[in-house]
């Protein structure tokens, strides 16, 4: 049974096209909590909108945080203590907003999306998404909280990897997971060697998957 009322469908589509990502998140949260069965097309649309909404909503704040930290560093070097104090307050505000956005998606994934995920594909998609937002938290945290964000990210990505082994090597969530894990090793852990190995494994699996597909096509022909 596909319960995706046309009016609600339009709400999501209009919010996306108008780039009103907060409104899109609110609508998705309400729709997700209904916990009603969906057809495959509606499920795919839901995942796509969910990814778009949260990614775009947090992107601006991540970019703002990067810029304001650069400004804070320059003003600190100049010794402009009054400016630094003002900038720091603004930075903390942005960091808090990022934390709140991440908490919203964690709550949605842990309370509704993962418990109701019926396929390995969906489980990998949501775990990858959860890992991504823990990775984003790394940049808005300091000290012990930053270390914990790294540990949480790696643990979640690894748990998604275990499930991903049940999927074809060409499965999109599996490939996306491999790429983001590689990015995590490279950007966050500064481990170029592991990042390259992870990316190579993804490439080799992708190659093997394409070969299997070609062999299957030749066999059927």
């Amino acid at each position: 049974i596909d319960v995706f009322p046309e009016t609600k469908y339009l709400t999501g589509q209009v919010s996306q096209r108008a780039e009103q990502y907060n409104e899109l998140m609110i609508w998705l949260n309400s729709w997700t909590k209904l916990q009603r069965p969906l057809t495959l097309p509606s499920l795919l649309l839901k995942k796509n909108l969910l990814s778009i909404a949260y990614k775009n909503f947090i992107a601006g704040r991540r970019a703002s945080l990067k810029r304001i930290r650069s400004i804070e560093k320059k003003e600190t070097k100049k010794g402009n203590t009054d400016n630094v104090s003002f900038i720091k307050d603004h930075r903390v505000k942005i960091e808090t907003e990022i934390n709140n956005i991440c908490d919203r998606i964690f709550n949605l994934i842990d309370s509704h999306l993962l418990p109701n995920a019926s396929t390995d594909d969906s489980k990998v998609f949501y775990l990858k998404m959860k890992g991504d937002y823990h990775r984003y938290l790394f940049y808005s945290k300091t000290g012990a909280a930053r270390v914990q964000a790294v540990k949480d990210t790696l643990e979640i990505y690894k748990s998604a990897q275990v499930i991903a082994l049940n999927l074809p090597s060409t499965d999109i969530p599996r490939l996306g997971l491999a790429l983001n894990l590689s990015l995590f090793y490279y950007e966050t852990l500064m481990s170029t060697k592991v990042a390259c190995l992870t990316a190579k494994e993804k490439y080799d699996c992708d190659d093997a998957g394409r070969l299997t597909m070609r062999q299957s096509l030749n066999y059927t022909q």
Side-chain angles (χ1 to χ4, degrees):
I1 302 172
D2 188 358
V3 284
F4 199 162
E6 185 176 352
T7 52
K8 288 199 172 187
Y9 174 82
L10 288 174
T11 299
Q13 289 292 298
V14 169
S15 296
Q16 178 195 352
R17 292 173 186 174
E19 297 184 356
Q20 295 178 303
Y21 299 114
N22 188 48
E23 287 74 10
L24 181 55
M25 286 193 308
I26 292 171
W27 169 74
L28 281 164
N29 288 353
S30 299
W31 182 32
T32 297
K33 291 173 183 178
L34 290 174
Q35 295 184 4
R36 294 175 180 173
L38 298 171
T39 59
L40 182 58
S42 290
L43 181 61
L44 293 175
L45 178 61
K46 177 182 176 180
K47 289 180 182 178
N48 184 49
L49 290 177
L50 187 73
S51 179
I52 289 172
Y54 277 91
K55 185 175 181 179
N56 282 282
F57 192 63
I58 202 172
R61 286 155 181 80
R62 292 179 66 207
S64 295
L65 181 59
K66 185 176 181 180
R67 287 193 293 267
I68 202 166
R69 279 182 169 166
S70 176
I71 296 170
E72 183 180 4
K73 187 176 181 180
K74 290 177 182 177
E75 291 299 310
T76 300
K77 284 184 177 180
K78 293 177 183 178
N80 297 331
T81 54
D82 290 339
N83 289 354
V84 171
S85 179
F86 172 79
I87 294 168
K88 182 180 179 181
D89 289 341
H90 196 65
R91 170 176 58 77
V92 170
K93 180 182 178 182
I94 297 172
E95 289 172 344
T96 301
E97 289 177 351
I98 291 175
N99 295 340
N100 289 339
I101 294 169
C102 290
D103 285 341
R104 286 171 67 177
I105 190 63
F106 294 154
N107 179 62
L108 196 64
I109 290 173
D110 291 337
S111 300
H112 301 282
L113 297 172
L114 269 179
N116 292 290
S118 57
T119 65
D120 287 336
D121 182 273
S122 290
K123 291 173 185 176
V124 170
F125 179 88
Y126 295 131
L127 282 171
K128 173 196 160 294
M129 192 174 186
K130 185 178 178 181
D132 291 343
Y133 283 82
H134 274 284
R135 178 162 55 90
Y136 300 156
L137 274 182
F138 168 83
Y139 297 100
S140 65
K141 300 288 187 181
T142 58
R146 172 171 278 203
V147 174
Q148 188 60 50
V150 170
K151 291 180 179 178
D152 291 340
T153 303
L154 189 57
E155 180 181 343
I156 294 164
Y157 278 154
K158 289 292 187 181
S159 63
Q161 269 192 320
V162 173
I163 301 173
L165 293 175
N166 300 325
L167 299 171
S169 59
T170 52
D171 181 81
I172 293 176
R174 178 175 176 175
L175 294 176
L177 172 65
L179 287 172
N180 284 19
L181 180 57
S182 176
L183 186 66
F184 170 68
Y185 278 122
Y186 181 74
E187 287 189 343
T188 308
L189 297 184
M190 304 294 182
S191 180
T192 305
K193 183 177 180 179
V194 179
C196 290
L197 286 173
T198 304
K200 185 179 184 300
E201 286 176 6
K202 174 263 171 191
Y203 179 81
D204 290 343
C205 286
D206 201 10
D207 250 7
R210 284 194 294 265
L211 178 61
T212 301
M213 290 174 68
R214 284 196 298 267
Q215 289 173 338
S216 298
L217 287 173
N218 290 337
Y219 179 77
T220 55
Q221 288 172 355

